[in-house]
Every structure is written in structure tokens, then in C-alpha cells.
Amino acid sequence: MLFRMPGTGKSHLAKALSVFAVKSGKSVHRATLAEPIAALSQAEREGRLADKIRFYAWVSMLIVDEIS
């Protein structure tokens, strides 16, 4: 986990790590913090929460950016 002030290169580093992971055959998902929260809330309302949790658990690398 990387937590620093804005403009320190966290997103750039995350992108580089994700490219390396994909080239190594790994699955990567990138999202803002709001996106998985909204997706999980919607999945719960639709009765598909277990499937959505399985998706997030399945990916090799989950990059959550723009936390603020």
C-alpha cells in the first residue's frame, strides 16, 4: 500500500507494476475507491454480491487509486 501526498508518482508506479503483472500473465483490475464500493452496493441490491466479491478476490492485482 502506498499512501503519500499528491504528485509523488503513486499512480505512475501502480501503472508500471500493473503492466509488469499483465506481461507476466497476471490479471489486474484498476479502480477508484468509489467504483468498487458502488459496484458492491449495486451487486448486493441485485442479489449478486457473492459473484462480485469473487471477482475482486480472483484478480491477481487490485489497484485502488484516487482514495481521497
Side-chain angles (χ1 to χ4, degrees):
M1 294 190 138
L2 300 172
F3 295 100
R4 295 278 185 217
M5 298 299 293
T8 58
K10 296 177 302 297
S11 295
H12 185 77
L13 177 59
K15 189 178 292 186
L17 290 172
S18 66
V19 168
F20 180 76
V22 169
K23 287 182 177 181
S24 299
K26 304 295 183 185
S27 58
V28 176
H29 181 76
R30 184 207 167 274
T32 65
L33 181 60
E35 292 168 347
I37 291 172
L40 289 167
S41 296
Q42 181 176 354
E44 182 179 31
R45 286 190 301 275
E46 296 171 354
R48 302 178 300 105
L49 184 57
D51 292 335
K52 188 54 79 172
I53 290 172
R54 237 184 322 276
F55 166 76
Y56 287 118
W58 174 79
V59 294
S60 300
M61 179 183 284
L62 177 60
I63 298 172
V64 180
D65 202 2
E66 300 179 26
I67 293 175
S68 56

